[in-house]
Amino acid sequence: MRERHGPGPVLVNAFGRTGLILLSADDARRMLAETGVSFTTANREKMAALSHFEPDAVLVTPGAAKAERRRFNEAAIDHCAAGQWFREACRAAVEEEARPLLVGGQLTWKRFRGAYQRIVRRIVFGDAARDDERITELRDKLRSDGNWFMLHRKRHRLRNELFARCRRYIDLPEPGGLARAVSATPATAEIKPVAQMQHWFFAFDAAPVSDYLTLGLLAGRPEHSARARTDRAYLRACVLEAQRLWPTTLALVRDTTAETHWPGGWTLPAGAAVIACTPFFHRDARRLPYADRFEPEVWLDGRAEADWSIAPFSRGPAQCLGKEIVLSTSALLLTELLRHDWRITSPNRLGPERPLPRTADHTSLRFAAGDRAARG
Ligand code: HEM
């Protein structure tokens, strides 16, 4: 599309809906920066998808209530980030769940994901939720309904069960993880704390994907791995770089709340969709010399930060509030795993010899522990 149409946005009509696909970094930046002014994150299709399991979450809240719910999200997440108890709880969760992964010399997506789901439950709902596989199952069932947007009927019984389980962790005499912050953060009836928590639980599920791919990238790059073992900032940059290469949020989407004017003379009415596809912007070789290489340095020297079209955790007023929790969890877990030298044993194209592929199947990646493990 960019080749055919140049940098101007492209107007599309699908299923009676008008949408603008952005093709320039400046337009993407504008959409992100003007969120809350002429754009809302409460895009119609996203609301339809998320309403299956997290109606009322801040991301899909239109109008004035959004600011109030965002303040609640910030206060609860900050309450945790500021607490030594929370950092200790995260460390314990990650170390304990990572330990079995270091045994046996083989690592598969299934084992990795199982351990990660326990970590996520412990961080979001507290240690009491460690083995609550039902809560994960409920989320996953409702999320797959969400893939059908408004075409799938609402399964209210499952959603009530999910919300009731969540509530139980908040109401424990001594709640743990983010549930503790929810019970400690004042909320009006309008806030709907359980719906906010559902978003945290749902969003965290993207972290294992990028962490597993980060391990895949490091496995074929001994010099990068050696640095990642001792330099926490660099390891976080590696995770961000995996998110740049294969973003888990494929499109940043807004609906217009006012008439907007665009390069090329487009005028878009209020109520239209605006779409920035992250896989395109993150790999745009016209602008990024490092587009298809693994180059964590871009997250350390300011190049990636300065470019708003590189936005795995979004940018601007709707930027992800869980970014720090995700990056610190990822760094803790990868530090544990990097006690071994891992070698990929399944077919893959993650090595440094050629440009990295546009998509990567994390589910088929298998690893074997190499010499370092044998020595240890
Ligand atoms: C790898 C994991 C995650 C990724 C890649 C991610 C990415 C994102 C992105 C791209 C957005 C903004 C979407 C937009 O601009 O339309 C977002 C919003 C948000 N994220 Fe995350 N997220 C992750 C995990 C988390 C976690 C664990 C939490 C909470 C603990 C969280 C809390 C939020 C909240 C509250 C918002 C809504 C912000 C708003 O609408 O004002 N995220 N996230």
Side-chain angles (χ1 to χ4, degrees), residues 222-293:
E223 282 170 23
H224 293 71
S225 318
R227 183 168 170 197
R229 278 190 185 99
T230 54
D231 180 344
R232 185 57 65 94
Y234 183 74
L235 180 52
R236 287 164 59 104
C238 292
V239 175
L240 284 163
E241 185 62 346
Q243 272 282 357
R244 179 185 70 81
L245 290 161
W246 301 290
T248 49
T249 306
L250 298 179
L252 295 168
V253 190
R254 301 285 181 267
D255 274 5
T256 50
T257 50
E259 197 174 84
T260 51
H261 305 279
W262 298 88
W266 297 113
T267 296
L268 207 59
V274 183
I275 303 149
C277 293
T278 46
F280 163 66
F281 285 113
H282 289 193
R283 295 286 197 110
D284 186 357
R286 278 177 214 86
R287 304 178 47 251
L288 311 173
Y290 53 87
D292 298 326
R293 289 199 301 267

Side-chain angles (χ1 to χ4, degrees), residues 131-148:
D131 297 318
D132 188 351
E133 290 179 5
R134 176 69 179 160
I135 202 167
T136 304
E137 185 192 7
L138 287 164
R139 179 202 63 193
D140 291 349
K141 279 188 173 165
L142 292 169
R143 186 175 51 184
S144 68
D145 293 355
N147 290 336
W148 292 91

Side-chain angles (χ1 to χ4, degrees), residues 107 212-213 216-217 219 246 343-351 353-354 356-357 359-368:
L107 189 59
Y212 202 58
L213 287 168
L217 289 160
W246 301 290
R343 183 168 47 81
I344 304 181
T345 54
S346 53
N348 72 92
R349 289 174 48 205
L350 301 187
E353 315 76 32
R354 49 186 171 169
L356 286 162
T359 58
D361 176 10
H362 55 279
T363 63
S364 63
L365 270 189
R366 293 171 158 269
F367 296 87

